[in-house]
Amino acid sequence: MKSEHHIDDPDVILIGSGIMSATLGAVLKQIDPGLRIQLYEVAEKLAMEASDGWHNAGTGHAGLCELSYTPDYGPDGEVQVGKAIEICNQFEQSLQFWGYAVRNGMLKQPKECINPVPHLSFVYGQEQVDFLRSRHRQMSKHHFFKEMEYTEDRETIRQWAPLILDGRDPDEPVAMTRMPNGTDVNFGALAARLIEWMGQQDGVGYATLHRVTDLTRNASGGWDVEVKNVEAGESFTNSAKFVFVGAGGGSLPLLQKSGIKEAKGFGGFPIGGQWLITKKPELVEQHNAKVYGMSPGAAPTMAVPHLDTRVIDGEKSLLFGPYAAWTTKFLHEKGSLFDLPGSIRLDNIGSLIKVGLGNIPLVRYLIQQGTQSMQTRMGELQRFFPAAKQEDWELIDAGIRVQAIKKEDGDAGIVHFGTEVVTDSERTLSALLGASPGASVSTNIIVEIIKKCFADKLQDAECRERMKSMIPSYDEDLSDASMAMRHEQLNKEALQALQVIAP
Ligand SMILES: Cc1cc2nc3c(=O)[nH]c(=O)nc-3n(C[C@H](O)[C@H](O)[C@H](O)COP(=O)(O)OP(=O)(O)OC[C@H]3O[C@@H](n4cnc5c(N)ncnc54)[C@H](O)[C@@H]3O)c2cc1C
């Protein structure tokens, strides 16, 4: 797949066709239509890696019901909800951008990319019920979450998510929270549509089956990017003033090749994943929600299981997981078992060893998860859906998250399980490492990159105005109490444009 034109010596080269490159390219082209951009993707099709619909859970992460974002009680004895507020604030920028994309013909069929699916938290046992009650008390005080409902009533839970109670011990204390305007997002479709839109603009090109193999700073201060046309077996060099390494699991090796000093010390820790899925109509029709529970034992936050309605290619299914798995590959489609060993350098080996030694329960958990039987996997699903039957469910691969490992506070080896944008001091190259909370906050990540690396554009009144009409809160804090009405208005406009709520 490729656009009509290939852009030689563009202003910007984007590496990878996932949601991050797609968003950066589309936003940049909107704020400066004169910008020349070329994108390269190694796989055969666009957005087949982590952003692909089946490779992630498609949660529009707004901090609504994922309990892993609010794990702790504060000194006041109430659950602390600051992280959920922060994520919701960032997700609002994504909603605004996607809504703008629909209104301006960049996304023609929003339902292909985003669908309304309520988000629920479900807990059982008195200790968890007390936790959820406190979480709801704190969350519902904030204008982002004022619509959040809480119940311990089994009849209400049955109406919200009947499968959850099917076959459950009637004496067990249970509780649920519900946010009606949650979303299921097909980030792969979203990325592909944005890139296709870009390809129709003057001065933008994209090409799949093109692997970026090297990056070298050139004499004019930009980058020479070595690219291999995988089909033709030929390599060539293209140069750009700015390079975005949005290669997902492939970002770390490219960042290391760039040789920028800011990349020193970074390592990657891949976590594979699998889902159970069912398309059985009787089950799919009974469940319309994304249901989050509490973390089982040593599970890393990104592997806390949930039972999700998915809408992919217009078809509904139920997905449960992820089950984490040990892997040494950085990419699912085009990765190699040598990715992890090949990423070891003198400057990160200390961190990697420390991470291995300091996270033995996590490593043990990953190995145990990867080798468990179907029966054990079903056991985990049955904690959510007690009446689940093995014959209705199939195991499929999820994407791979390469967690960024970096030195923090000078202490090598502290795992930083977040998203990390690494930018050189000249602001000519940015690379995205890490995976959480991921695609949902892609717009916020890209806004920060633009503020840092394209600050000159935002000083231009016209560009700034275009940015403001695309992502109105890019320079505002909607979480502030004084912004409650502004948030309500922007949120409504975006959700209406995306057909998540009725006009
Ligand atoms: C199991 C799982 C569940 C998740 N659930 C959610 C969720 O519910 N909600 C959410 O918001 N996020 C979720 N995420 C995270 C989300 O999927 C990622 O944050 C996001 O998709 C990353 O997008 P990206 O563009 O950085 O990377 P990717 O989508 O992986 O794109 C990178 C692209 O770069 C290409 N590439 C790599 N190397 C090269 C090279 N050398 N040359 C050219 N191309 C190259 C790859 O082929 C790939 O297409 C989940 C992730 C996983 C793994």
Side-chain angles (χ1 to χ4, degrees):
M1 294 173 78
K2 57 181 185 200
S3 52
E4 209 177 313
H5 302 287
H6 177 270
I7 310 301
D8 294 326
D9 300 333
D11 299 299
V12 175
I13 287 180
L14 303 170
I15 307 175
S17 67
I19 190 65
M20 301 297 173
S21 289
T23 306
L24 180 59
V27 171
L28 280 176
K29 192 64 187 169
Q30 282 288 0
I31 56 176
D32 181 357
L35 215 58
R36 300 172 73 252
I37 302 174
Q38 176 65 39
L39 179 148
Y40 296 112
E41 164 58 53
V42 63
E44 199 178 345
K45 292 187 189 155
L46 299 170
M48 297 286 288
E49 270 294 333
S51 301
D52 175 77
W54 292 111
H55 283 174
N56 61 73
T59 305
H61 281 297
L64 308 179
C65 291
E66 308 90 323
L67 301 178
S68 52
Y69 292 139
T70 55
D72 301 318
Y73 282 100
D76 59 354
E78 296 281 8
V79 171
Q80 291 180 306
V81 299
K83 183 75 184 164
I85 294 170
E86 183 190 328
I87 289 169
C88 194
N89 205 11
Q90 294 174 349
F91 184 63
E92 285 300 321
Q93 296 183 347
S94 290
L95 287 179
Q96 290 162 22
F97 171 54
W98 302 338
Y100 171 94
V102 174
R103 287 194 299 273
N104 290 274
M106 300 160 78
L107 294 177
K108 300 229 168 3
Q109 293 170 357
K111 293 234 166 284
E112 188 195 359
C113 304
I114 182 163
N115 282 279
V117 174
H119 288 193
L120 313 180
S121 304
F122 172 70
V123 295
Y124 52 87
Q126 198 52 52
E127 199 181 321
Q128 291 191 9
V129 169
D130 293 342
F131 173 87
L132 194 63
R133 200 184 303 116
S134 165
R135 182 182 190 270
H136 172 257
R137 217 168 18 239
Q138 297 306 102
M139 297 281 281
S140 55
K141 281 183 196 161
H142 194 275
H143 57 270
F144 283 168
F145 310 111
K146 65 177 196 291
E147 287 168 21
M148 186 177 280
E149 299 164 87
Y150 173 84
T151 189
E152 293 174 24
D153 173 51
R154 284 184 173 246
E155 242 351 274
T156 311
I157 294 179
R158 200 177 296 286
Q159 282 165 24
W160 290 352
L163 298 184
I164 302 289
L165 286 189
D166 204 358
R168 190 171 292 279
D169 173 0
D171 296 326
E172 188 177 44
V174 287
M176 201 171 246
T177 52
R178 179 176 186 267
M179 279 294 277
N181 289 341
T183 51
D184 177 68
V185 186
N186 183 339
F187 295 105
L190 188 58
R193 296 301 86 77
L194 290 173
I195 293 170
E196 284 156 10
W197 171 84
M198 282 161 60
Q200 290 158 8
Q201 312 308 303
D202 279 346
V204 183
Y206 67 87
T208 61
L209 290 172
H210 281 62
R211 180 190 289 278
V212 172
T213 53
D214 207 356
L215 297 166
T216 318
R217 201 186 286 281
N218 60 30
S220 47
W223 292 90
D224 289 340
V225 177
E226 203 176 299
V227 187
K228 181 166 185 185
N229 178 335
V230 181
E231 240 178 341
E234 290 161 1
S235 292
F236 60 93
T237 302
N238 201 1
S239 305
K241 291 179 203 133
F242 180 83
V243 173
F244 176 61
V245 189
S251 289
L252 178 65
L254 287 171
L255 187 61
Q256 290 174 329
K257 283 186 175 166
S258 77
I260 63 170
K261 64 176 188 309
E262 292 76 9
K264 296 268 182 288
F266 275 99
F269 184 75
I271 298 181
Q274 287 175 313
W275 310 113
L276 285 178
I277 63 154
T278 182
K279 295 186 179 176
K280 196 175 179 186
E282 301 91 287
L283 299 181
V284 172
E285 276 155 28
Q286 282 191 70
H287 187 81
N288 181 37
K290 288 180 175 282
V291 186
Y292 293 84
M294 304 277 283
S295 170
T301 52
M302 81 296 288
V304 177
H306 35 93
L307 178 61
D308 282 16
T309 295
R310 297 301 320 272
V311 189
I312 297 179
D313 301 331
E315 192 189 2
K316 273 194 175 182
S317 56
L318 297 190
L319 173 150
F320 179 77
Y323 297 94
W326 170 255
T327 179
T328 55
K329 281 167 71 170
F330 281 178
L331 291 167
H332 183 269
E333 299 292 319
K334 296 283 172 185
S336 140
L337 291 172
F338 297 105
D339 285 342
L340 177 60
S343 73
I344 297 172
R345 299 280 184 282
L346 275 177
D347 59 66
N348 66 15
I349 190 163
S351 304
L352 284 163
I353 290 172
K354 268 199 170 181
V355 164
L357 294 177
N359 289 273
I360 284 172
L362 172 63
V363 174
R364 206 183 296 129
Y365 169 82
L366 294 176
I367 292 170
Q368 171 270 324
Q369 283 266 303
T371 53
Q372 68 191 330
S373 66
M374 185 67 175
Q375 213 177 355
T376 315
R377 291 177 205 277
M378 285 304 294
E380 241 178 88
L381 168 59
Q382 282 154 355
R383 284 154 47 140
F384 273 73
F385 171 18
K389 295 196 191 85
Q390 189 167 326
E391 63 264 28
D392 296 333
W393 296 81
E394 183 196 343
L395 192 66
I396 63 163
D397 279 345
I400 295 171
R401 296 183 202 245
V402 181
Q403 301 298 329
I405 291 172
K406 68 166 185 174
K407 295 177 189 177
E408 258 182 13
D409 301 330
D411 187 0
I414 291 180
V415 195
H416 176 81
F417 280 148
T419 307
E420 195 71 35
V421 178
V422 182
T423 301
D424 69 324
S425 53
E426 290 84 0
R427 302 181 179 196
T428 56
L429 180 142
S430 274
L432 190 96
L433 301 176
S436 283
S440 302
V441 298
S442 48
T443 306
N444 176 263
I445 290 170
I446 264 47
V447 162
E448 293 309 314
I449 291 175
I450 292 176
K451 282 182 182 167
K452 195 166 189 180
C453 302
F454 296 85
D456 55 326
K457 304 251 172 265
L458 295 179
Q459 273 155 21
D460 177 275
E462 267 183 48
C463 291
R464 205 170 48 243
E465 206 172 298
R466 289 193 206 107
M467 183 77 161
K468 194 76 185 157
S469 64
M470 203 168 16
I471 308 163
S473 75
Y474 90 94
D475 57 353
E476 300 171 27
D477 178 6
L478 294 182
S479 70
D480 193 86
S482 64
M483 300 293 267
M485 280 177 66
R486 171 95 169 132
H487 164 254
E488 193 175 321
Q489 175 221 339
L490 291 174
N491 180 266
K492 192 169 153 198
E493 270 171 28
L495 292 179
Q496 283 180 343
L498 292 164
Q499 299 174 13
V500 170
I501 58 172

